[in-house]
Amino acid sequence: MEIMRSWQLPLALLVILAASSAAAAQLEIGFYSKTCPDAEKIVQEEMTKIIAAAPSLAGPLLRLHFHDCFVRGCDASVLLESTPGNTAEKDAKPNKSLRGFGSVERVKAKLEAACPGIVSCADVLTLMSRDAVVLSHGPHWPVALGRRDGMASSATEASNELPPASGDVPLLAKIFASKGLNLKDLAVLSGGHTLGTAHCASFDDRLSNSTVDPSLDSEYADRLRLKCGSGGVLAEMDPGSYKTFDGSYYRQVAKRRGLFRSDAALLADATTGDYVRRVASGKFDAEFFRDFSESMIKMGNVGVLTGSQGEIRKKCYVLN
Ligand code: HEM
């Protein structure tokens, strides 16, 4: 599959944004041009095979990068396994539903075969999440590279720092602000919920009779109750197009069919509600694509390690 489409080419502004915010984070476009010139191509080729075989992995791979960046920055700490003395991020409750670790190891192994010890797991994950979006028919954005891999991973930190599905906008905005991301980034990045599925346990508190959530469309609630009650485990977050990156998540939220309280909350707040309704109109999908690219570039710069900090792991699940 062609990874960049022609209508996305005039995004020169994104390149400038990526380069300038990367400079602040000390990352660089083309960071591996001398040390591993085919790095991006290798990731892209493997990702094309991975998503062709399992299109439903795009969502999990995007989510992995988000959960990495929100805890200790984008340093691949989410990929580390627990050790006898340490419970890692991966084993924190909100991370139990993460998937795609095997795919990251597969891509990393290809890179190690081509250029041993050069490309960090943090960069691999950043590139994979971008390619997951592109391969799901979403936007393409330039990724500045040079992240290094962290040496620590803590389940307690993950539990404390990841946004809860029950969060309202003030809480979510506070968590995003602590990562240098603003209210618009919150509205835009929540659009990542156009991809993927969620476990009934993540939203069934909105369905039970005693606590039924009035911000959830009642017909939709009935459908979800039926699905989860009859032994179902997963629900599509953007029903009908959960493998396609598009603006239809906002159309669901605008119809009070966002799956989590955190999705529904976006509609209730004036600023984020305006954004939801704007994209939901169907006239601004291209603007959403640009916004998403910008916010992903910002998220990919959160708390990165560079220079001689951290290490370049050989395998992403274990320190060297
Ligand atoms: C705003 C705060 C957010 C909250 C509270 C939140 C919460 C959640 C929850 C509870 C799930 C379901 C997990 C499960 O039950 O399996 C989920 C899935 C997902 N989230 Fe978020 N999320 C947020 C932001 C984001 C962001 C910023 C992105 C990416 C840009 C993202 C991408 C995804 C994706 C792609 C999935 C589906 C994963 C899969 O298919 O396995 N989320 N999120």
Side-chain angles (χ1 to χ4, degrees), residues 146-256:
R147 291 165 194 77
R148 311 244 323 157
D149 297 327
M151 309 291 285
S153 178
S154 146
T156 311
E157 284 177 5
S159 297
N160 290 340
E161 293 181 33
L162 289 166
S166 58
D168 59 9
V169 167
L171 176 68
L172 299 172
K174 193 169 151 219
I175 297 171
F176 271 60
S178 73
K179 310 295 167 196
L181 300 170
N182 60 30
L183 203 53
K184 179 169 181 189
D185 297 314
L186 168 64
V188 170
L189 289 172
S190 295
H193 287 172
T194 177
L195 291 178
T197 54
H199 290 81
C200 293
S202 296
F203 57 85
D204 60 6
D205 62 313
R206 301 182 77 199
L207 306 175
S208 71
N209 283 332
S210 55
T211 55
V212 76
D213 183 344
S215 68
L216 183 63
D217 172 65
S218 58
E219 199 180 300
Y220 190 52
D222 285 345
R223 222 183 293 165
L224 290 172
R225 211 174 280 119
L226 207 62
K227 183 164 219 151
C228 294
S230 57
V233 181
L234 292 173
E236 297 172 10
M237 297 205 299
D238 180 5
S241 84
Y242 76 106
K243 292 179 193 162
T244 307
F245 191 99
D246 56 22
S248 68
Y249 160 80
Y250 294 97
R251 290 184 266 289
Q252 298 293 341
V253 174
K255 286 193 286 190
R256 303 194 304 126

Side-chain angles (χ1 to χ4, degrees), residues 31-308:
F31 181 83
Y32 298 113
S33 60
K34 294 210 170 65
T35 51
C36 192
D38 288 337
E40 286 207 38
K41 194 166 140 249
I42 292 169
V43 175
Q44 180 195 314
E45 283 173 0
E46 280 310 297
M47 276 300 288
T48 304
K49 288 184 217 156
I50 289 167
I51 299 301
S56 66
L57 267 180
L61 290 168
L62 172 62
R63 185 168 181 236
L64 261 184
H65 177 54
F66 158 53
H67 281 217
D68 183 32
C69 295
F70 266 55
V71 185
R72 286 190 170 254
C74 316
D75 70 340
S77 52
V78 73
L79 302 177
L80 287 170
E81 295 280 9
S82 294
T83 56
N86 182 58
T87 311
E89 284 173 34
K90 206 178 191 174
D91 290 318
K93 197 162 173 245
N95 282 340
K96 291 279 190 193
S97 52
L98 290 177
R99 295 195 294 135
F101 295 100
S103 302
V104 180
E105 296 302 336
R106 168 174 161 179
V107 175
K108 171 67 172 169
K110 284 275 171 190
L111 287 161
E112 283 299 297
C115 349
I118 300 291
V119 184
S120 70
C121 296
D123 277 344
V124 172
L125 194 47
T126 312
L127 287 170
M128 286 177 74
S129 67
R130 190 269 314 267
D131 291 350
V133 169
V134 173
L135 291 161
S136 311
H137 310 288
H140 179 282
W141 59 91
V143 175
L145 299 168
R147 291 165 194 77
R148 311 244 323 157
D149 297 327
M151 309 291 285
S153 178
S154 146
T156 311
E157 284 177 5
S159 297
N160 290 340
E161 293 181 33
L162 289 166
S166 58
D168 59 9
V169 167
L171 176 68
L172 299 172
K174 193 169 151 219
I175 297 171
F176 271 60
S178 73
K179 310 295 167 196
L181 300 170
N182 60 30
L183 203 53
K184 179 169 181 189
D185 297 314
L186 168 64
V188 170
L189 289 172
S190 295
H193 287 172
T194 177
L195 291 178
T197 54
H199 290 81
C200 293
S202 296
F203 57 85
D204 60 6
D205 62 313
R206 301 182 77 199
L207 306 175
S208 71
N209 283 332
S210 55
T211 55
V212 76
D213 183 344
S215 68
L216 183 63
D217 172 65
S218 58
E219 199 180 300
Y220 190 52
D222 285 345
R223 222 183 293 165
L224 290 172
R225 211 174 280 119
L226 207 62
K227 183 164 219 151
C228 294
S230 57
V233 181
L234 292 173
E236 297 172 10
M237 297 205 299
D238 180 5
S241 84
Y242 76 106
K243 292 179 193 162
T244 307
F245 191 99
D246 56 22
S248 68
Y249 160 80
Y250 294 97
R251 290 184 266 289
Q252 298 293 341
V253 174
K255 286 193 286 190
R256 303 194 304 126
R257 292 178 171 201
L259 206 47
F260 310 130
R261 287 182 201 273
S262 63
D263 299 314
L266 297 179
L267 192 62
D269 175 88
T271 310
T272 54
D274 278 350
Y275 193 83
V276 169
R277 282 182 290 270
R278 188 174 167 81
V279 184
S281 72
K283 295 182 201 146
F284 300 99
D285 278 19
E287 184 181 305
F288 164 56
F289 275 26
R290 275 195 301 278
D291 290 340
F292 193 79
S293 302
E294 271 185 48
S295 293
M296 284 296 287
I297 289 170
K298 277 174 81 177
M299 189 174 87
N301 290 343
V302 171
V304 295
L305 304 176
T306 53
S308 58

